[in-house]
Amino acid sequence: MIFLDAAATTPVRREVLEAMWPYLTGEFGNPSSHHSLGEAAATALAGARTATAKALGCRPGEVVFTSGGTEADNLAVKGIALARRAADPRLDRVAISAVEHPAVEESARYLERVHGFAVDVIPVDRFGQVTEEALAAVLQPGTALVSIMYANNEVGTVQPIARLAALARAHGVPFHTDAVQAAGWLPMDTGALGVDALSISGHKLGAPKGSGALFVRGRVRLEPLVHGGGHERGRRSGTENVAGAVALATALTLPREPAGRVSALRDGFIGAVLAGVPGALLTGHPTERLPSVASFCFPGTSGESVLLELERQGVICSSGSACAAGSDAPSPVLLAMGIEPEVAQSAVRFSFDSTVTAVQLQEAAAAVRTAVGSVRSLGEASGGGRGGRSSAAAS
Ligand code: PLP
């Protein structure tokens, strides 16, 4: 099997498992307990926070451990917008890009539905990028928060985050970025990026599912979403996932293969697919993209059928469809980039972790050629009907 779905999730790295193991077994204390077992857990948690802060270029007190990327996004979008409006009722708008993950998009829609906020959606260009002009056009005196992802989970397009954050800051508006896909591949220094909040998720990086963190700049007020014993400085109650925090910190700080090696392999794979599959379209930005993502549309097929055919040949990847169970609707991300719905439905995403090899990608490119060819010929034989099962892309 060739696993090319690392944007969905990655296996836990051995070093990560070894680092977290003691806190699942012998050192199992509750960090709030005032005995030696509790204190050992508190020390481990503090160490994980310091290491995470170092990786993010921030202070330990600016790190809130969460259950993953979705929770971090919810806390940033709802928590900052609600706190700002509580301080000034005129701040009743949030601005998000048109290509956000549902964790951001649905948080903004919740603010609209339940709390009466207005949501301003910032359009993207055909490569999926937000321009400074597009952001400037939506900023208003009532904007409480801007949230624009660092890198897109479906097409891999990287946003000019430092420039966009600087623009928001010049208007006095806090800036959140969902860096779930960017972490491990792109610079994560929150100071250099100039962001006020940034979300990461452990399971995209070799830590377990259910670990993650939100960076929130010290001066930014945050309304908590989970109430209880006041953990995480009152920003996120609940007994901390000590092993998960240790795992996340370890995954963030482990040495990684240079991103340049994977970028070069990605470019070779993109070239081989475009040369081998007539009519294949690369989606996303041609150069400003994650080293780890190659995404295509194969007009005349359905992405789901290509996926199924590829799996038969031992290649695991993902369709570009919406991140919702059982959905084969065309991806809103691709539609926002101006891709026609029929073409968007033929999307397939290949995403690599840092251990990917040239041989794997050569084999995968050959499999793509065969798979698309056979789906197209089946489609012609059956009068163009769509085949395949309906399975959702995990993003
Ligand atoms: N944001 C992006 C860009 C993602 O790709 C994902 C992953 O699905 C998430 C947020 C959600 O992260 P998690 O799976 O940790 O909840």
Side-chain angles (χ1 to χ4, degrees):
M1 181 183 91
I2 303 176
F3 180 74
L4 300 183
D5 200 15
T9 197
T10 58
V12 175
R13 290 179 69 172
R14 169 167 290 279
E15 303 90 323
V16 170
L17 193 58
E18 282 168 3
M20 71 189 291
W21 182 252
Y23 305 102
L24 294 167
T25 52
E27 305 275 337
F28 63 89
N30 181 330
S32 300
S33 298
H34 295 285
H35 49 59
S36 56
L37 212 52
E39 277 161 16
T43 304
L45 188 64
R49 198 182 304 283
T50 303
T52 303
K54 198 164 170 222
L56 301 181
C58 67
R59 294 199 306 269
E62 294 175 319
V63 173
V64 181
F65 287 117
T66 66
S67 64
T70 299
E71 188 190 332
D73 285 343
N74 272 260
L75 182 54
V77 174
K78 297 177 192 169
I80 295 174
L82 290 173
R84 293 205 81 215
R85 198 179 62 175
D88 181 349
R90 289 168 301 181
L91 296 173
D92 62 356
R93 314 186 74 88
V94 291
I96 61 171
S97 86
V99 293
E100 293 304 309
H101 187 273
V104 165
E105 152 94 27
E106 290 303 317
S107 294
R109 295 297 169 201
Y110 163 84
L111 288 173
E112 180 180 54
R113 205 174 53 247
V114 178
H115 294 279
F117 277 77
V119 178
D120 295 308
V121 177
I122 313 159
V124 294
D125 64 18
R126 68 195 171 102
F127 300 128
Q129 265 190 336
V130 174
T131 62
E132 286 158 89
E133 295 70 38
L135 172 57
V138 304
L139 288 173
Q140 302 185 33
T143 308
L145 175 73
V146 173
S147 182
I148 299 174
M149 68 199 327
Y150 198 165
N152 183 265
N153 47 296
E154 291 184 36
V155 296
T157 295
V158 176
Q159 303 292 347
I161 287 299
R163 293 208 304 272
L164 298 172
L167 182 62
R169 178 169 283 186
H171 286 76
V173 182
F175 187 98
H176 165 250
T177 191
D178 173 340
V180 166
Q181 294 292 342
W185 297 107
L186 302 177
M188 281 289 126
D189 184 337
T190 53
L193 289 171
V195 297
D196 298 290
L198 174 145
S199 308
I200 55 173
S201 170
H203 75 104
K204 315 286 184 180
L205 279 170
K209 295 161 188 66
S211 59
L214 177 68
F215 152 76
V216 203
R217 199 169 289 290
R219 61 183 146 73
V220 175
R221 279 206 237 147
L222 193 66
E223 180 65 35
L225 306 183
V226 182
H227 303 96
H231 306 76
E232 299 291 304
R233 296 193 173 181
R235 294 167 298 186
R236 197 267 190 184
S237 285
T239 302
E240 301 88 343
N241 176 1
V242 179
V246 169
L248 177 68
T250 309
L252 271 175
T253 49
L254 275 179
R256 296 175 70 89
E257 293 236 6
R261 186 191 78 88
V262 180
S263 298
L265 292 178
R266 174 205 63 194
D267 290 342
F269 177 72
I270 289 174
V273 170
L274 294 179
V277 181
L281 303 170
L282 177 70
T283 55
H285 199 284
T287 53
E288 296 299 308
R289 60 188 305 135
L290 284 173
S292 49
V293 174
S295 53
F296 303 91
C297 286
F298 300 117
T301 71
S302 91
E304 297 295 337
S305 317
V306 173
L307 206 66
L308 191 66
E309 194 51 44
L310 279 170
E311 189 166 351
R312 270 199 215 117
Q313 297 183 40
V315 176
I316 306 282
C317 56
S318 159
S319 79
S321 64
C323 183
S327 167
D328 65 352
S331 145
V333 169
L334 298 180
L335 298 182
M337 291 163 53
I339 295 175
E340 294 297 323
E342 317 82 71
V343 176
Q345 239 151 353
S346 70
V348 180
R349 175 191 73 187
F350 303 89
S351 52
F352 327 127
D353 78 7
S354 56
T355 61
V356 72
T357 66
V359 172
Q360 283 176 327
L361 292 186
Q362 273 154 19
E363 285 174 20
V368 174
R369 221 167 24 240
T370 313
V372 173
S374 73
V375 169
R376 279 181 177 156
S377 60
L378 275 174
E380 272 160 26
S382 66
R386 297 185 60 204
R389 69 184 172 187
S390 176
S391 79
S395 53

